[in-house]
Amino acid sequence: MTAPKPDGTDRPRIRISAEASQAIDSWAWGLADGTLRLWQLPDAINSLWNVAFEHGRASRDEEVHQLRVERDRYWLRSFPDAERQEYLLSRLDQAAALANRPDVDDVLDEAWRLYCAGLNNIREPIRLTVTQDCREVA
């Protein structure tokens, strides 16, 4: 058995009725223009929306991170040379003071534990949330 193609071109297209298509399309535009709220829609549409939103957001995480790094670099470069040097030396002094604490190993161990716990949280499945009318949606 061969593995499915990553782009999904080997999968059949899903078809729905014209009425269902029109309803979903009108709901999408209702959400866009504010005449509908997500909680008003059927649970299955809520699930689709939430999964699509999370995938879309996650697909941009690396770019957002890179843009923040670039923003911070430009922010630091906006300082005159003497102020930039003073700022960087101050940050190094703060880091050195933290590293010079007698409990530095405990602090670093706790930071590592929290970091590792955070990695586990990233991989948690999407949990059900309760909507305004107390329905659970993914």
Side-chain angles (χ1 to χ4, degrees):
M1 181 169 195
T2 61
K5 294 181 182 178
D7 62 3
T9 56
D10 59 335
R11 297 183 182 150
R13 184 171 168 93
I14 297 172
R15 305 237 182 251
I16 59 175
S17 70
E19 293 82 14
S21 180
Q22 184 179 11
I24 293 170
D25 194 52
S26 69
W27 295 338
W29 287 110
L31 290 170
D33 68 18
T35 58
L36 279 177
R37 298 286 182 248
L38 192 57
W39 63 266
Q40 293 177 280
L41 300 179
D43 292 343
I45 298 297
N46 267 290
S47 297
L48 179 65
W49 173 278
N50 285 310
V51 169
F53 179 86
E54 286 301 318
H55 279 267
R57 186 192 54 75
S59 74
R60 308 309 293 185
D61 281 350
E62 182 57 30
E63 181 181 7
V64 168
H65 171 71
Q66 291 301 323
L67 290 170
R68 285 183 177 150
V69 168
E70 190 74 358
R71 175 204 61 195
D72 292 345
R73 189 175 73 80
Y74 281 125
W75 175 80
L76 189 56
R77 288 190 54 160
S78 71
F79 288 102
D81 289 342
E83 287 183 38
R84 183 178 329 128
Q85 182 178 1
E86 183 181 325
Y87 174 79
L88 291 173
L89 288 174
S90 170
R91 293 292 303 265
L92 285 172
D93 285 344
Q94 291 172 7
L98 286 174
N100 199 28
R101 291 172 47 164
D103 63 342
V104 68
D105 289 334
D106 295 335
V107 171
L108 291 174
D109 287 344
E110 179 65 9
W112 180 252
R113 189 189 67 69
L114 291 172
Y115 170 76
C116 290
L119 292 177
N120 289 335
N121 290 341
I122 290 171
R123 293 175 180 86
E124 285 183 358
I126 295 173
R127 301 213 184 279
L128 296 178
T129 56
V130 179
T131 60
Q132 288 181 357
D133 57 350
C134 299
R135 293 181 295 177
E136 290 184 338
V137 295

